[in-house]
Amino acid sequence: MNSNIAASIRTQRLASLIPMLSKMIPEHAILSEPEQLKAYECDAFTTMRQMPLLTVLPDTIEQVQHVMRCCHALDIPVVARGAGTGLTAGAMPVENGVLLGMSKFNKIHAIDLHNRTAWIDPGVRNQAVSDAVAPYNLYFAPDPSSQLACSVGGNVAENAGGVHCLKYGLTVHNILELEIVSIEGERMTLGGPALDAAGYDLMAIMTGSEGLLGIVVGIRVKLLAKPASARVLLAAFSTIEDAGNAIAKIIGAGIIPAGLEMIDQTGIQAIEALMHAGYPVHAAAVIICELDGSVEEVEDELSSVIAILNSLNASDIQVSTNETESKRIWAARKAAFPALASLAPDNYVMDGTIPRRALAEVWTKINRLSDEYQLLVVNVFHAGDGNMHPSILFDSSDENQYQRANELATRILELCIQVGGTISGEHGIGLEKINQMCLQFSDAEINQFHALKHAFDEKRLLNPGKQIPTLARCAEFNAMHIHRGEMPFPHLERF
Amino acid sequence: MADSINATPESLAEQVKNAHYNQSPLQIMGSGSKSFYGRNITAIPLSVAAYSGVINYEPSELVITARAGTPLREIENLLDEQGQMLGFEPPSFTDTATLGGTIACGISGPRRPYAGAARDFVLGVTIINGKGEILKFGGQVIKNVAGYDVSRLMTGAQGSLGILLDISLKVIPKPAYEATRVLPYSHQQMNTLLSDIGRKPVPVSATLLHNNSLYIRLSGAKAGVQAAASAIGGDTLQNADPFWQQLKEQQQPFFNQQRPLWRVSLPPAAAVIPGDLVEEESFIEWGGAQRWVYSHNGKKLQEWAIKNGGHASCFRDAKRDPSLSHSADETVFSPLSPALFALSKRIKDSFDPAHILNPNRLYTGL
Ligand SMILES: Cc1cc2nc3c(=O)[nH]c(=O)nc-3n(C[C@H](O)[C@H](O)[C@H](O)COP(=O)(O)OP(=O)(O)OC[C@H]3O[C@@H](n4cnc5c(N)ncnc54)[C@H](O)[C@@H]3O)c2cc1C
């Protein structure tokens, strides 16, 4: 937007909004100084930034309702923010819009041991839930690698997963009830403490809606009993094909590991340099497989898995014998992203998901693309559910590298779509992947998404411009894309 | 894999386009095996039964994709040959039940609290919306967060938001071993026991409480199941497979009565339903979360269920409940709050602006 116009809108909005907000929101919870706002200009996708008009930090649901009513009345956009660990610029403010920080909603209100649920605030950290219920031998299953920092409200908004979602599901499978505040400021309860609710499955639509449909102000999470036994196994392979086959064979044998991960050679070496976890640095790939359940069950499955691994020439098989050893193997895996930071200033983490059968093929093609674009791509990912996290390493201060990284990212996502996969498995679309939505969905499908959004937010004030592209944007993106001759599969049906 | 398609997506979409243009409501039909469920509607039947056949199934992907008219039995048999199954153990009620009807009704069987509901296994759908557009959402991969989760929204919407064409479901390996224990327990004793073992890694996969007998099915590796079974105590139920099969299909004599059968969905540990609301013993599944009762006091039952954190629906009703005769159909499903109803109506409008897809089957106006 023209900066003069933007500045005048800003002045007008501040003049009308602040007095209205102040009727219910204390002064200290309304941040307007640039140095205060700086902390809110981006999420963990730091290459996109935007200062908000204001940041409001409410601490009661009534205050959230008030903020929404004010913004609705004045036609001012609202972007919710949990902990800001999102990887797709979902919580990045919009120009001259309000940033609604949910961090003060940080209480666990009730733990219901009989029904094994807890009613919590949206700003509660993911790990804090499992910590609070650990004394009862319970835990909250979704475990994104960011679990020490990310909020459960953010998990709901992104339908976050983690290393254990192959067996225990994503956020959508582990929540029962949501309280939300609509853009009109109305409170609504979706789902309930029973296993299902009357009417449409609005929990499903709300989960993963990236703050575009309503503000989550309360969550009933499901709690699971901790397994009696969990063993973690690490195995090395000299070819990617063998590693990929091992994944398919384990699943094909009727075993659902609690976690099934794969790391390529560059990833292994970077992790080993940082963590000294005993990862075999000369392997082309390692897989990490966690088996959990009753002691007997785990022993049974362990011997089946080892037999499969041996049949595929695995080497350096390590099996944890206690929790400390398990933790050591996992801690190294979860440190993958910091480890990659030593290799390049910037790391563009992709999130495409593909059918498992295509793992080796896609991996090989990614390596070819990596050569073509002269950028290192490292694969550390959730292989069991086909969720690839290729990391493109680059230096954003070099404009040419930045361009190449973005183009390469699009090529990789196209590859995922081509083999029957999707552009995002768990990180969401936000602004980062909004163009690639045009590759995955037809115009009619995108229109249907907009119609659904309209049912919740007629004025398009909630996190506008994110997740669902406009058709105009798609037309422009597709034209440019084809124009540059980048469309590698022109015959490909867009689905 | 049957591949003969007598109904094509295009021909079905054409019919919907015409209906949209003429504003003439359609009643979407699979095999009709669940036509007892939901409110009565009068509309022109549109059958999808001929749109049948498995499209893709690779056991190591744990995913099956099939057309909506595919008989559920066909899918179950195919999975069974590979040692896999549908985790939500859907009932068929007849031999002809289709996949589309199963997902549209969103009914799940005994394994539901432990493995997940129908909606938890739906990965992707192709639908025809109320404008006759063929749209695809979700996909064939287990994790997918591109766009709103329309596939799960379709589950249980009873066709009112779109006609299901192709459906991709996550499947699970069949457990290596199962055993069922029977204990002479009251409702209260069941609550105490389940609350206790719910916090332990006991591989429960189904429960039933009826006539003061508690049945607990355990599934998993043989040694683990045996260890859990002896820890729980009670007796072993012989011939357990047909027992759970009959329960899933509601073939016990209990279900064979010409009275209004209600399904009450509650938090598992919710109180016992007061005696003045129900007639005789009930069938209590899902660790207390799904209770089948006969009642001529449906409205009161619904109020009680809502107050206790759940809802109640008239599941099967040969003769509508006389106490509800003034507005019989309105009370099939628990009423929604005004705000939720208004939102649901706007969602209906967004998929089916002319309200031609199974209108009023869920609620008047949806
Ligand atoms: C190192 C690292 C590792 C990660 N690993 C994983 C992983 O393994 N799996 C995974 O799924 N993700 C992962 N992530 C991504 C991120 O942590 C998740 O998306 C997380 O769910 C975001 O939570 P948050 O509280 O930080 O949300 P934010 O980033 O603050 O917000 C994310 C989105 O949610 C919306 N939102 C937040 N709170 C609310 C609310 N109360 N109501 C409505 N909308 C709201 C925002 O508007 C935004 O669109 C990782 C991120 C990092 C930095």
Side-chain angles (χ1 to χ4, degrees):
Chain A
M1 196 185 291
N2 177 304
S3 65
N4 285 336
I5 303 177
S8 92
I9 293 178
R10 189 180 118 79
T11 316
Q12 281 170 20
R13 285 189 174 170
L14 285 174
S16 44
L17 182 60
I18 293 183
M20 241 173 128
L21 284 177
S22 305
K23 288 189 183 138
M24 260 193 85
I25 318 276
E27 205 180 317
H28 64 82
I30 304 176
L31 314 183
S32 59
E33 297 302 325
E35 55 277 20
Q36 292 174 310
L37 297 179
K38 194 91 183 124
Y40 298 95
E41 67 172 355
C42 66
D43 62 10
F45 189 71
T46 52
T47 49
M48 285 184 172
R49 288 165 195 265
Q50 168 69 52
M51 290 283 266
L53 177 72
L54 284 177
T55 291
V56 186
L57 301 172
D59 61 6
T60 67
I61 295 176
E62 290 71 23
Q63 288 180 2
V64 174
Q65 289 178 282
H66 183 69
V67 176
M68 303 305 267
R69 288 193 190 113
C70 295
C71 290
H72 189 245
L74 298 172
D75 290 341
I76 297 175
V78 184
V79 178
R81 180 187 177 96
T85 68
L87 289 168
T88 59
M92 185 186 86
V94 301
E95 187 171 32
N96 284 324
V98 165
L99 193 279
L100 185 73
M102 300 300 287
S103 55
K104 290 187 184 169
F105 285 84
N106 58 4
K107 283 178 204 64
I108 295 177
H109 292 278
I111 298 168
D112 177 346
L113 293 181
H114 294 297
N115 291 305
R116 292 170 300 287
T117 63
W119 181 256
I120 68 167
D121 276 347
V124 172
R125 286 177 308 108
N126 173 297
Q127 179 69 52
V129 182
S130 291
D131 288 348
V133 299
Y136 313 106
N137 201 42
L138 297 170
Y139 75 108
F140 176 54
D143 60 342
S145 304
S146 52
Q147 68 188 140
L148 282 174
C150 65
S151 74
V152 182
N155 296 161
V156 172
E158 299 288 11
N159 191 15
V163 294
H164 289 106
C165 60
L166 176 61
K167 186 165 178 181
Y168 298 105
L170 301 150
T171 304
V172 70
H173 302 107
N174 289 284
I175 54 175
L176 286 168
E177 183 179 0
L178 293 174
E179 180 154 23
I180 65 165
V181 172
S182 74
I183 184 66
E184 285 95 0
E186 191 161 19
R187 268 169 97 149
M188 271 185 266
T189 302
L190 314 181
L195 296 189
D196 44 48
Y200 293 138
D201 195 335
L202 300 181
M203 291 285 290
I205 280 303
M206 208 49 213
T207 311
S209 66
E210 302 192 12
L212 271 83
L213 303 183
I215 307 298
V216 176
V217 294
I219 307 158
R220 187 179 307 279
V221 296
K222 235 165 78 174
L223 303 172
L224 301 182
K226 286 195 215 163
S229 162
R231 309 275 301 270
V232 183
L233 183 150
L234 183 85
F237 292 88
S238 53
T239 70
I240 287 164
E241 284 73 22
D242 282 344
N245 285 337
I247 302 286
K249 279 212 169 153
I250 292 170
I251 305 273
I255 296 167
I256 308 284
L260 190 53
E261 304 276 308
M262 194 144 122
I263 308 173
D264 72 5
Q265 188 169 46
T266 317
I268 300 166
Q269 291 171 353
I271 289 173
E272 194 48 31
L274 183 74
M275 301 296 289
H276 311 292
Y279 281 23
V281 289
H282 298 297
V286 298
I287 70 168
I288 300 171
C289 174
E290 175 170 320
L291 300 164
D292 74 359
S294 65
V295 176
E296 300 84 355
E297 194 160 17
V298 173
E299 291 312 313
D300 259 21
E301 291 185 344
L302 203 53
S303 48
S304 311
V305 169
I306 290 174
I308 291 171
L309 295 178
N310 285 331
S311 76
L312 289 165
N313 311 312
S315 61
D316 297 278
I317 300 178
Q318 305 176 24
V319 183
S320 70
T321 52
N322 56 45
E323 211 177 319
T324 318
E325 287 178 24
S326 299
K327 280 207 174 125
R328 175 179 56 82
I329 299 178
W330 273 129
R333 158 64 185 90
K334 290 197 179 185
F337 293 113
L340 295 182
S342 65
L343 300 180
D346 294 282
N347 170 9
Y348 189 167
V349 187
M350 332 257 358
D351 181 39
T353 300
I354 57 170
R356 273 181 294 266
R357 61 171 175 274
L359 270 181
E361 175 199 337
V362 170
W363 196 326
T364 310
K365 285 187 176 160
I366 289 177
N367 285 341
R368 244 180 260 151
L369 286 170
S370 161
D371 291 344
E372 187 183 328
Y373 283 83
Q374 299 278 301
L375 290 171
L376 195 58
V377 181
V378 184
N379 267 303
V380 179
F381 67 104
H382 312 306
D385 42 30
N387 190 189
M388 314 269 296
H389 285 318
S391 290
I392 303 173
L393 301 180
F394 70 108
D395 179 353
S396 62
S397 65
D398 174 344
E399 181 59 24
N400 182 278
Q401 277 201 31
Y402 179 71
Q403 287 296 342
R404 288 202 323 262
N406 278 313
E407 279 175 26
L408 175 53
T410 300
R411 295 283 297 271
I412 291 175
L413 293 180
E414 274 168 356
L415 190 55
C416 293
I417 298 175
Q418 187 209 13
V419 298
T422 176
I423 57 174
S424 182
E426 58 181 16
H427 294 167
I429 304 301
L431 207 50
E432 179 250 325
K433 277 187 286 291
I434 191 140
N435 286 335
Q436 287 80 10
M437 283 290 280
C438 312
L439 300 172
Q440 186 162 338
F441 293 99
S442 71
D443 287 0
E445 286 151 2
I446 286 175
N447 269 336
Q448 183 64 71
F449 285 142
H450 285 301
L452 189 54
K453 158 88 169 163
H454 187 83
F456 285 81
D457 176 20
E458 208 177 330
K459 291 184 173 181
R460 278 177 284 152
L461 295 174
L462 285 167
N463 215 357
K466 311 281 181 66
Q467 194 180 25
I468 315 293
T470 61
L471 290 184
R473 185 180 188 127
C474 284
E476 203 179 305
F477 173 73
N478 288 333
M480 251 177 60
H481 202 54
I482 292 161
H483 175 71
R484 290 202 314 259
E486 301 276 359
M487 190 74 144
F489 316 105
H491 55 286
L492 188 67
E493 196 191 335
R494 287 169 55 212
F495 53 96
Chain B
M1 291 186 195
D3 238 323
S4 69
I5 317 170
N6 301 317
T8 64
E10 291 71 25
S11 70
L12 290 166
E14 207 45 47
Q15 294 178 65
V16 177
K17 264 186 200 142
N18 287 334
H20 175 238
Y21 181 75
N22 299 319
Q23 310 224 334
S24 70
L26 298 171
Q27 179 174 9
I28 309 158
M29 303 282 290
S31 72
S33 74
K34 286 177 230 13
S35 54
F36 63 84
Y37 187 59
R39 304 173 65 232
N40 292 326
I41 62 169
T42 39
I44 301 164
L46 177 71
S47 174
V48 290
Y51 185 67
S52 169
V54 172
I55 298 170
N56 190 16
Y57 171 47
E58 272 176 64
S60 74
E61 293 292 324
L62 297 177
V63 175
I64 189 164
T65 303
R67 299 185 183 98
T70 314
L72 196 54
R73 284 282 149 81
E74 182 181 328
I75 292 174
E76 285 171 337
N77 291 340
L78 191 66
L79 296 177
D80 192 65
E81 285 167 18
Q82 302 295 326
Q84 296 184 338
M85 63 182 288
L86 295 175
F88 56 109
E89 268 189 324
S92 318
F93 298 130
T94 69
D95 280 345
T96 55
T98 63
L99 175 63
T102 303
I103 297 305
C105 290
I107 302 172
S108 306
R111 207 174 294 267
R112 189 267 171 257
Y114 315 98
R119 55 94 82 171
D120 294 319
F121 290 91
V122 175
L123 300 177
V125 293
T126 305
I127 63 160
I128 303 173
N129 70 4
K131 295 195 279 187
E133 296 169 328
I134 298 174
L135 308 174
K136 197 166 165 181
F137 299 102
Q140 298 181 28
V141 287
I142 286 162
K143 284 163 109 178
N144 189 347
V145 294
Y148 305 120
D149 196 344
V150 174
S151 321
R152 287 188 220 283
L153 176 66
M154 291 294 144
T155 314
Q158 299 206 22
S160 67
L161 300 177
I163 298 176
L164 295 167
L165 289 178
D166 303 333
I167 301 162
S168 294
L169 294 175
K170 180 183 165 190
V171 302
I172 60 170
K174 284 173 68 173
Y177 185 78
E178 297 200 308
T180 297
R181 304 298 275 188
V182 202
L183 302 132
Y185 272 20
S186 66
H187 197 144
Q188 197 47 55
Q189 287 171 303
M190 171 183 83
N191 277 352
T192 312
L193 176 73
L194 294 184
S195 169
D196 177 44
I197 62 180
R199 272 176 271 151
K200 295 183 184 143
V202 180
V204 177
S205 68
T207 71
L208 169 69
L209 181 72
H210 183 56
N211 269 334
N212 283 323
S213 293
L214 172 64
Y215 301 80
I216 301 182
R217 183 177 69 188
L218 301 158
S219 306
K222 187 170 181 178
V225 167
Q226 284 175 336
S230 58
I232 287 174
D235 299 321
T236 298
L237 178 74
Q238 304 301 331
N239 255 333
D241 281 356
F243 173 85
W244 294 108
Q245 178 68 16
Q246 276 182 6
L247 171 70
K248 163 167 96 87
E249 299 297 343
Q250 301 193 337
Q251 287 160 342
Q252 287 94 342
F254 172 87
F255 289 104
N256 193 15
Q257 302 181 41
Q258 293 295 309
R259 289 187 292 164
L261 174 68
W262 287 78
R263 173 180 182 267
V264 190
S265 170
L266 292 165
V272 175
I273 305 174
D276 56 337
L277 295 180
V278 298
E279 294 160 25
E280 67 165 326
E281 263 293 335
S282 52
F283 250 66
I284 300 180
E285 288 187 83
W286 299 5
Q290 172 168 270
R291 306 181 193 177
W292 301 99
V293 299
Y294 286 100
S295 176
H296 281 294
N297 219 343
K299 238 186 167 126
K300 285 244 163 65
L301 181 63
Q302 285 183 333
E303 283 163 19
W304 182 88
I306 291 173
K307 222 186 295 164
N308 284 272
H311 62 105
S313 37
C314 186
F315 190 74
R316 199 195 288 266
D317 187 5
K319 305 183 284 292
R320 289 280 178 207
D321 180 340
S323 79
L324 306 172
S325 56
H326 53 290
S327 61
D329 277 339
E330 287 312 318
T331 40
V332 170
F333 298 106
S334 280
L336 304 175
S337 72
L340 269 194
F341 184 80
L343 176 60
S344 303
K345 189 165 169 306
R346 293 196 301 272
I347 292 173
K348 166 79 172 174
D349 294 342
S350 77
F351 281 93
D352 178 20
H355 286 223
I356 53 160
L357 302 177
N358 279 358
N360 308 324
R361 181 159 174 166
L362 270 174
Y363 294 95
T364 308
L366 294 190

